[in-house]
Amino acid sequence: MLGSSTLRIYKGIVKYTAKQNYRADLRQEAVARASAIRQAAREKKDEPEKKARGAKAKAVPEKES
């Protein structure tokens, strides 16, 4: 599932729900559910270290490279 394109998966869900006589108003929610599952399965990126702003940035001397 993760190797397929997102649009292709969503189209497949819409086709499947139409063939199975799902209520039309539930198709959008079926796609949203698949989207949430796909989002949860993604690997999380490391967050960069936050930079000091304002007065805190002035108080901390710059590191020399």
Side-chain angles (χ1 to χ4, degrees):
M1 181 175 174
L2 291 177
S4 302
S5 74
T6 306
L7 184 59
R8 189 171 186 169
I9 289 171
Y10 296 161
K11 278 184 169 182
I13 291 169
V14 170
K15 279 184 181 179
Y16 178 78
T17 54
K19 284 183 183 179
Q20 296 297 320
N21 295 323
Y22 265 52
R23 286 180 15 210
D25 61 327
L26 294 180
R27 285 191 198 130
Q28 181 78 28
E29 286 158 21
V31 171
R33 187 176 198 175
S35 178
I37 291 169
R38 205 166 155 79
Q39 186 73 25
R42 274 175 76 183
E43 291 183 21
K44 305 294 181 209
K45 292 183 180 178
D46 293 333
E47 289 187 20
E49 188 175 322
K50 293 195 175 194
K51 297 178 183 178
R53 306 274 183 199
K56 291 181 182 179
K58 292 176 185 173
V60 177
E62 287 188 31
K63 296 179 183 177
E64 293 183 26
S65 299

